[in-house]
mmCIF file of all heavy atoms in Angstrom:
data_model
loop_
_atom_site.group_PDB
_atom_site.id
_atom_site.type_symbol
_atom_site.label_atom_id
_atom_site.label_comp_id
_atom_site.label_asym_id
_atom_site.label_seq_id
_atom_site.Cartn_x
_atom_site.Cartn_y
_atom_site.Cartn_z
ATOM 1 N N LEU A 265 92.968 103.201 96.644
ATOM 2 C CA LEU A 265 92.459 102.094 95.842
ATOM 3 C C LEU A 265 92.844 100.747 96.434
ATOM 4 O O LEU A 265 93.557 99.950 95.834
ATOM 5 C CB LEU A 265 92.950 102.223 94.404
ATOM 6 C CG LEU A 265 92.367 103.410 93.645
ATOM 7 C CD1 LEU A 265 92.985 103.533 92.267
ATOM 8 C CD2 LEU A 265 90.854 103.285 93.545
ATOM 9 N N THR A 266 92.376 100.496 97.639
ATOM 10 C CA THR A 266 92.534 99.186 98.263
ATOM 11 C C THR A 266 91.152 98.579 98.430
ATOM 12 O O THR A 266 90.180 99.278 98.736
ATOM 13 C CB THR A 266 93.226 99.282 99.635
ATOM 14 O OG1 THR A 266 92.397 100.061 100.514
ATOM 15 C CG2 THR A 266 94.583 99.970 99.517
ATOM 16 N N ALA A 267 91.072 97.270 98.233
ATOM 17 C CA ALA A 267 89.772 96.597 98.277
ATOM 18 C C ALA A 267 89.091 96.766 99.632
ATOM 19 O O ALA A 267 87.874 96.977 99.709
ATOM 20 C CB ALA A 267 89.942 95.109 97.947
ATOM 21 N N ASP A 268 89.866 96.682 100.716
ATOM 22 C CA ASP A 268 89.266 96.794 102.048
ATOM 23 C C ASP A 268 88.648 98.166 102.277
ATOM 24 O O ASP A 268 87.578 98.281 102.885
ATOM 25 C CB ASP A 268 90.314 96.504 103.127
ATOM 26 C CG ASP A 268 90.676 95.031 103.201
ATOM 27 O OD1 ASP A 268 89.915 94.213 102.649
ATOM 28 O OD2 ASP A 268 91.721 94.706 103.799
ATOM 29 N N LEU A 269 89.327 99.204 101.816
ATOM 30 C CA LEU A 269 88.795 100.557 101.995
ATOM 31 C C LEU A 269 87.512 100.741 101.181
ATOM 32 O O LEU A 269 86.530 101.309 101.666
ATOM 33 C CB LEU A 269 89.837 101.599 101.597
ATOM 34 C CG LEU A 269 89.416 103.065 101.753
ATOM 35 C CD1 LEU A 269 88.988 103.359 103.194
ATOM 36 C CD2 LEU A 269 90.541 103.993 101.327
ATOM 37 N N LEU A 270 87.532 100.242 99.956
ATOM 38 C CA LEU A 270 86.341 100.349 99.110
ATOM 39 C C LEU A 270 85.159 99.612 99.748
ATOM 40 O O LEU A 270 84.043 100.130 99.799
ATOM 41 C CB LEU A 270 86.626 99.777 97.723
ATOM 42 C CG LEU A 270 85.463 99.803 96.729
ATOM 43 C CD1 LEU A 270 85.015 101.228 96.475
ATOM 44 C CD2 LEU A 270 85.847 99.124 95.425
ATOM 45 N N ARG A 271 85.402 98.408 100.254
ATOM 46 C CA ARG A 271 84.325 97.651 100.902
ATOM 47 C C ARG A 271 83.801 98.390 102.129
ATOM 48 O O ARG A 271 82.607 98.406 102.392
ATOM 49 C CB ARG A 271 84.832 96.267 101.315
ATOM 50 C CG ARG A 271 85.139 95.330 100.157
ATOM 51 C CD ARG A 271 85.383 93.903 100.658
ATOM 52 N NE ARG A 271 85.870 93.056 99.584
ATOM 53 C CZ ARG A 271 87.144 92.715 99.412
ATOM 54 N NH1 ARG A 271 88.069 93.162 100.263
ATOM 55 N NH2 ARG A 271 87.496 91.938 98.421
ATOM 56 N N ALA A 272 84.714 98.990 102.892
ATOM 57 C CA ALA A 272 84.303 99.689 104.113
ATOM 58 C C ALA A 272 83.400 100.873 103.788
ATOM 59 O O ALA A 272 82.380 101.099 104.441
ATOM 60 C CB ALA A 272 85.530 100.155 104.890
ATOM 61 N N VAL A 273 83.766 101.642 102.757
ATOM 62 C CA VAL A 273 82.978 102.820 102.392
ATOM 63 C C VAL A 273 81.637 102.408 101.792
ATOM 64 O O VAL A 273 80.582 102.927 102.163
ATOM 65 C CB VAL A 273 83.767 103.716 101.406
ATOM 66 C CG1 VAL A 273 82.884 104.856 100.902
ATOM 67 C CG2 VAL A 273 85.006 104.283 102.086
ATOM 68 N N TRP A 274 81.652 101.449 100.882
ATOM 69 C CA TRP A 274 80.433 101.078 100.171
ATOM 70 C C TRP A 274 79.525 100.140 100.965
ATOM 71 O O TRP A 274 78.404 99.856 100.541
ATOM 72 C CB TRP A 274 80.780 100.458 98.827
ATOM 73 C CG TRP A 274 81.183 101.503 97.825
ATOM 74 C CD1 TRP A 274 81.414 102.825 98.060
ATOM 75 C CD2 TRP A 274 81.412 101.304 96.438
ATOM 76 N NE1 TRP A 274 81.774 103.458 96.910
ATOM 77 C CE2 TRP A 274 81.786 102.565 95.892
ATOM 78 C CE3 TRP A 274 81.356 100.199 95.594
ATOM 79 C CZ2 TRP A 274 82.084 102.724 94.547
ATOM 80 C CZ3 TRP A 274 81.654 100.359 94.256
ATOM 81 C CH2 TRP A 274 82.011 101.609 93.732
ATOM 82 N N SER A 275 79.994 99.650 102.111
ATOM 83 C CA SER A 275 79.107 98.841 102.957
ATOM 84 C C SER A 275 78.094 99.721 103.679
ATOM 85 O O SER A 275 77.050 99.240 104.130
ATOM 86 C CB SER A 275 79.932 98.054 103.981
ATOM 87 O OG SER A 275 80.603 98.937 104.880
ATOM 88 N N ALA A 276 78.384 101.001 103.803
ATOM 89 C CA ALA A 276 77.442 101.950 104.410
ATOM 90 C C ALA A 276 76.460 102.433 103.338
ATOM 91 O O ALA A 276 76.664 102.224 102.142
ATOM 92 C CB ALA A 276 78.198 103.130 105.000
ATOM 93 N N ASP A 277 75.390 103.091 103.777
ATOM 94 C CA ASP A 277 74.437 103.594 102.784
ATOM 95 C C ASP A 277 74.987 104.863 102.138
ATOM 96 O O ASP A 277 76.047 105.363 102.502
ATOM 97 C CB ASP A 277 73.050 103.816 103.399
ATOM 98 C CG ASP A 277 73.048 104.889 104.484
ATOM 99 O OD1 ASP A 277 73.797 105.874 104.372
ATOM 100 O OD2 ASP A 277 72.281 104.736 105.453
ATOM 101 N N ASN A 278 74.229 105.376 101.182
ATOM 102 C CA ASN A 278 74.717 106.501 100.380
ATOM 103 C C ASN A 278 75.015 107.758 101.185
ATOM 104 O O ASN A 278 75.779 108.612 100.740
ATOM 105 C CB ASN A 278 73.704 106.835 99.285
ATOM 106 C CG ASN A 278 73.696 105.809 98.166
ATOM 107 O OD1 ASN A 278 74.441 104.835 98.207
ATOM 108 N ND2 ASN A 278 72.849 106.025 97.172
ATOM 109 N N THR A 279 74.418 107.887 102.360
ATOM 110 C CA THR A 279 74.647 109.099 103.148
ATOM 111 C C THR A 279 76.072 109.191 103.665
ATOM 112 O O THR A 279 76.519 110.269 104.057
ATOM 113 C CB THR A 279 73.662 109.187 104.330
ATOM 114 O OG1 THR A 279 73.827 108.029 105.173
ATOM 115 C CG2 THR A 279 72.229 109.262 103.836
ATOM 116 N N ALA A 280 76.805 108.085 103.676
ATOM 117 C CA ALA A 280 78.219 108.133 104.049
ATOM 118 C C ALA A 280 79.051 108.767 102.945
ATOM 119 O O ALA A 280 80.169 109.235 103.176
ATOM 120 C CB ALA A 280 78.737 106.727 104.355
ATOM 121 N N ILE A 281 78.496 108.779 101.742
ATOM 122 C CA ILE A 281 79.197 109.302 100.574
ATOM 123 C C ILE A 281 78.735 110.721 100.249
ATOM 124 O O ILE A 281 79.552 111.619 100.049
ATOM 125 C CB ILE A 281 78.982 108.372 99.364
ATOM 126 C CG1 ILE A 281 79.557 106.978 99.667
ATOM 127 C CG2 ILE A 281 79.614 108.950 98.107
ATOM 128 C CD1 ILE A 281 79.215 105.932 98.622
ATOM 129 N N LEU A 282 77.423 110.920 100.203
ATOM 130 C CA LEU A 282 76.876 112.226 99.810
ATOM 131 C C LEU A 282 75.630 112.493 100.644
ATOM 132 O O LEU A 282 74.661 111.733 100.595
ATOM 133 C CB LEU A 282 76.519 112.192 98.321
ATOM 134 C CG LEU A 282 76.773 113.465 97.502
ATOM 135 C CD1 LEU A 282 76.639 113.185 96.015
ATOM 136 C CD2 LEU A 282 75.860 114.591 97.906
ATOM 137 N N HIS A 283 75.666 113.587 101.415
ATOM 138 C CA HIS A 283 74.553 113.854 102.328
ATOM 139 C C HIS A 283 74.513 115.336 102.677
ATOM 140 O O HIS A 283 75.548 115.959 102.941
ATOM 141 C CB HIS A 283 74.724 113.027 103.609
ATOM 142 C CG HIS A 283 73.580 113.151 104.573
ATOM 143 N ND1 HIS A 283 72.287 112.817 104.254
ATOM 144 C CD2 HIS A 283 73.549 113.585 105.865
ATOM 145 C CE1 HIS A 283 71.501 113.023 105.298
ATOM 146 N NE2 HIS A 283 72.245 113.501 106.296
ATOM 147 N N ASN A 284 73.318 115.907 102.638
ATOM 148 C CA ASN A 284 73.124 117.317 102.979
ATOM 149 C C ASN A 284 74.040 118.251 102.180
ATOM 150 O O ASN A 284 74.547 119.252 102.698
ATOM 151 C CB ASN A 284 73.323 117.550 104.479
ATOM 152 C CG ASN A 284 72.114 117.105 105.296
ATOM 153 O OD1 ASN A 284 71.002 117.000 104.778
ATOM 154 N ND2 ASN A 284 72.331 116.832 106.575
ATOM 155 N N GLY A 285 74.243 117.905 100.912
ATOM 156 C CA GLY A 285 75.043 118.753 100.043
ATOM 157 C C GLY A 285 76.543 118.581 100.164
ATOM 158 O O GLY A 285 77.299 119.328 99.551
ATOM 159 N N TRP A 286 76.988 117.600 100.951
ATOM 160 C CA TRP A 286 78.422 117.366 101.130
ATOM 161 C C TRP A 286 78.807 116.015 100.541
ATOM 162 O O TRP A 286 78.273 114.994 100.940
ATOM 163 C CB TRP A 286 78.802 117.401 102.615
ATOM 164 C CG TRP A 286 78.728 118.770 103.203
ATOM 165 C CD1 TRP A 286 77.708 119.291 103.934
ATOM 166 C CD2 TRP A 286 79.724 119.789 103.098
ATOM 167 N NE1 TRP A 286 77.990 120.589 104.299
ATOM 168 C CE2 TRP A 286 79.229 120.920 103.799
ATOM 169 C CE3 TRP A 286 80.968 119.874 102.490
ATOM 170 C CZ2 TRP A 286 79.950 122.108 103.892
ATOM 171 C CZ3 TRP A 286 81.682 121.064 102.586
ATOM 172 C CH2 TRP A 286 81.178 122.162 103.278
ATOM 173 N N ASN A 287 79.737 116.035 99.592
ATOM 174 C CA ASN A 287 80.260 114.769 99.092
ATOM 175 C C ASN A 287 81.432 114.310 99.955
ATOM 176 O O ASN A 287 81.884 115.039 100.848
ATOM 177 C CB ASN A 287 80.670 114.889 97.622
ATOM 178 C CG ASN A 287 81.816 115.872 97.412
ATOM 179 O OD1 ASN A 287 82.261 116.559 98.328
ATOM 180 N ND2 ASN A 287 82.289 115.956 96.184
ATOM 181 N N LYS A 288 81.887 113.088 99.740
ATOM 182 C CA LYS A 288 82.994 112.514 100.520
ATOM 183 C C LYS A 288 82.746 112.681 102.021
ATOM 184 O O LYS A 288 83.675 112.963 102.793
ATOM 185 C CB LYS A 288 84.331 113.152 100.135
ATOM 186 C CG LYS A 288 84.682 112.991 98.668
ATOM 187 C CD LYS A 288 86.041 113.575 98.361
ATOM 188 C CE LYS A 288 86.371 113.444 96.884
ATOM 189 N NZ LYS A 288 87.661 114.032 96.533
ATOM 190 N N ARG A 289 81.502 112.513 102.420
ATOM 191 C CA ARG A 289 81.123 112.857 103.794
ATOM 192 C C ARG A 289 81.960 112.122 104.834
ATOM 193 O O ARG A 289 82.438 112.715 105.807
ATOM 194 C CB ARG A 289 79.640 112.538 104.002
ATOM 195 C CG ARG A 289 79.146 112.912 105.392
ATOM 196 C CD ARG A 289 77.769 112.371 105.642
ATOM 197 N NE ARG A 289 77.366 112.578 107.031
ATOM 198 C CZ ARG A 289 76.464 111.835 107.643
ATOM 199 N NH1 ARG A 289 75.886 110.835 107.005
ATOM 200 N NH2 ARG A 289 76.139 112.080 108.895
ATOM 201 N N VAL A 290 82.154 110.808 104.645
ATOM 202 C CA VAL A 290 82.877 110.036 105.656
ATOM 203 C C VAL A 290 84.334 110.502 105.743
ATOM 204 O O VAL A 290 84.914 110.574 106.833
ATOM 205 C CB VAL A 290 82.778 108.522 105.360
ATOM 206 C CG1 VAL A 290 83.453 108.162 104.045
ATOM 207 C CG2 VAL A 290 83.364 107.710 106.495
ATOM 208 N N LEU A 291 84.930 110.842 104.606
ATOM 209 C CA LEU A 291 86.317 111.310 104.610
ATOM 210 C C LEU A 291 86.422 112.683 105.269
ATOM 211 O O LEU A 291 87.373 112.952 106.019
ATOM 212 C CB LEU A 291 86.852 111.368 103.182
ATOM 213 C CG LEU A 291 88.330 111.742 103.025
ATOM 214 C CD1 LEU A 291 89.227 110.757 103.768
ATOM 215 C CD2 LEU A 291 88.709 111.813 101.545
ATOM 216 N N ARG A 292 85.461 113.527 105.020
ATOM 217 C CA ARG A 292 85.469 114.841 105.662
ATOM 218 C C ARG A 292 85.347 114.708 107.182
ATOM 219 O O ARG A 292 85.995 115.452 107.938
ATOM 220 C CB ARG A 292 84.323 115.699 105.122
ATOM 221 C CG ARG A 292 84.465 116.098 103.668
ATOM 222 C CD ARG A 292 83.297 116.968 103.226
ATOM 223 N NE ARG A 292 83.282 117.171 101.781
ATOM 224 C CZ ARG A 292 83.967 118.103 101.133
ATOM 225 N NH1 ARG A 292 84.738 118.941 101.818
ATOM 226 N NH2 ARG A 292 83.883 118.221 99.816
#
């Protein structure tokens, strides 16, 4: 829960978060 991390993740499109049935894609 740091502002910089949240901005980094949410600056990308939704596929960085959920894509091809995988959530937390960027973290994985």
Side-chain angles (χ1 to χ4, degrees):
L265 292 176
T266 62
D268 287 344
L269 181 57
L270 179 61
R271 291 191 189 101
V273 173
W274 283 9
S275 64
D277 64 35
N278 286 1
T279 59
I281 298 171
L282 217 168
H283 184 59
N284 282 338
W286 289 99
N287 64 354
K288 301 183 182 178
R289 182 190 173 204
V290 64
L291 184 59
R292 293 181 190 275

